[in-house]
Amino acid sequence: MKKVWWLLLAALPYPAVASVEDPLARPCYMCTADEMYERAESLGVGQHYIYNGASWTNIQGFDVTEVNGQRVATHFVPEPWIRTQYNQMMRVYDERRDEFVDPWGTVSLQPPGAPHVALEQPQSSTILWGHHVAGVNPRHLEARETARRMITRAIRFDYLNADTKHGRVLRIESPWGGVTPLISRLNLITSYLGFIEFYFDHETRRWEYLESGDRYARMQETPEDFLHADGTPRDFLYRKEYRELRPYFMDRAKWAGVEVIGELPGYVDMVFSCSRVQGKPQCRIANY
């Protein structure tokens, strides 16, 4: 049955791979109209797309040619598909993160192996959340495919298919360098279960898993994630109001080969205090 499930996922539609290179929109911070022409000419001969990096105003097109040894920029109105994608991405721009983040609210999916039944109250064992897509989960690839399938089929991202001729998707350069990523953030139906994020990969034309987390911390993708990035000890706080999440932490530790010492307490705040012991991460249960 599992083999058939994977065959069905393999047949899912994905956006067409572009036959020509994706165009890149470049910022021109607080530029006047004349300065936008100059910015385009500085990029060399060819077609260029420029936007005002201060106000994120509408995107402009410039065709740069060489006349008598000098570069000359001629303005043109960008193609409809470019304006569509640009406007849709700017609609979800998150200035704090410098990313395009499209948030979904109250997402409810079923994790691999969950019973296909309707429940009056959502439960963390029957809703797909970060615990299921975390890299330490033996079935994380199946769980990620479930979320990816929903994102790929979502009407909200139809604008990514706006270029019906070549299948291109506009890349937008950040004023601080690099291409600004497009993120799909799935906020789970129950807030304490946290979120799951995917990013759009221009190379594969697929939504790829980025990260996930519950109310308290990012999900563990490897055994090292039970410690801080520099390998120092790390505490994971779990308030008494959300004590039902504690066994899932212990499951992830078990999958990662991380020993947990101690017994879960009752209705009190507690922490999993994790450190490196004899070269391996180990967590101890303690009251907070």
Side-chain angles (χ1 to χ4, degrees):
M1 182 64 185
K2 183 177 179 180
K3 182 177 180 181
V4 174
W5 188 89
W6 276 104
L7 288 174
L8 289 174
L9 285 176
L12 291 175
Y14 290 102
V17 176
S19 58
V20 293
E21 186 179 12
D22 290 336
L24 177 64
R26 300 176 184 271
C28 192
Y29 187 72
M30 294 189 71
C31 285
T32 64
D34 288 341
E35 288 170 340
M36 293 190 93
Y37 278 87
E38 294 173 3
R39 171 78 166 117
E41 291 167 354
S42 72
L43 297 172
V45 174
Q47 282 193 348
H48 304 290
Y49 299 94
I50 311 291
Y51 69 93
N52 191 318
S55 60
W56 297 83
T57 54
N58 288 337
I59 188 170
Q60 306 296 326
F62 296 90
D63 188 8
V64 178
T65 57
E66 190 167 315
V67 180
N68 297 326
Q70 291 188 331
R71 295 174 183 173
V72 178
T74 303
H75 175 266
F76 67 89
V77 177
E79 300 92 315
W81 73 267
I82 285 185
R83 300 199 304 274
T84 294
Q85 292 185 359
Y86 178 83
N87 291 336
Q88 289 294 323
M89 291 181 192
M90 290 302 175
R91 181 179 57 83
V92 296
Y93 178 66
D94 186 323
E95 185 175 0
R96 178 181 56 85
R97 295 178 55 166
D98 187 32
E99 295 171 338
F100 304 118
V101 183
D102 190 314
W104 298 47
T106 64
V107 172
S108 179
L109 296 169
Q110 290 179 318
H116 290 261
V117 294
L119 298 174
E120 293 183 2
Q121 293 294 329
Q123 300 176 21
S124 46
S125 61
T126 57
I127 292 177
L128 191 151
W129 56 294
H131 177 76
H132 299 103
V133 299
V136 294
N137 188 328
R139 302 186 70 171
H140 69 274
L141 292 179
E142 297 173 59
R144 292 178 188 180
E145 281 295 342
T146 298
R148 190 201 326 266
R149 174 174 58 184
M150 184 187 71
I151 297 171
T152 301
R153 291 178 172 176
I155 296 176
R156 66 201 298 146
F157 292 119
D158 279 355
Y159 66 86
L160 295 178
N161 300 314
D163 180 18
T164 57
K165 185 176 181 181
H166 297 294
R168 292 167 292 180
V169 176
L170 180 67
R171 296 173 297 153
I172 301 179
E173 186 177 83
S174 166
W176 298 275
V179 175
T180 305
L182 173 61
I183 309 295
S184 179
R185 181 182 177 93
L186 309 181
N187 295 307
L188 285 307
I189 192 171
T190 303
S191 61
Y192 66 81
L193 293 182
F195 68 93
I196 301 172
E197 289 188 349
F198 282 72
Y199 71 94
F200 182 78
D201 189 311
H202 281 264
E203 296 297 323
T204 65
R205 286 301 192 273
R206 285 166 54 98
W207 289 96
E208 304 291 353
Y209 173 72
L210 179 61
E211 64 175 357
S212 62
D214 63 15
R215 183 179 181 88
Y216 299 108
R218 298 295 190 270
M219 285 292 122
Q220 294 80 20
E221 306 295 342
T222 71
E224 292 301 312
D225 290 335
F226 288 84
L227 307 173
H228 285 297
D230 60 0
T232 55
R234 181 179 182 185
D235 287 348
F236 295 86
L237 168 65
Y238 280 82
R239 297 287 187 186
K240 57 188 177 184
E241 294 85 356
Y242 303 104
R243 61 192 182 281
E244 72 170 82
L245 293 179
R246 299 169 184 175
Y248 295 99
F249 180 95
M250 297 184 70
D251 283 344
R252 293 193 297 275
K254 179 180 179 181
W255 294 331
V258 174
E259 182 183 17
V260 177
I261 299 175
E263 298 292 330
L264 289 176
Y267 192 66
V268 296
D269 297 340
M270 56 81 63
V271 295
F272 293 97
S273 186
C274 303
S275 61
R276 194 180 303 280
V277 178
Q278 297 182 347
K280 296 178 60 177
Q282 181 188 87
C283 299
R284 289 183 176 272
I285 295 174
N287 290 341
Y288 180 68

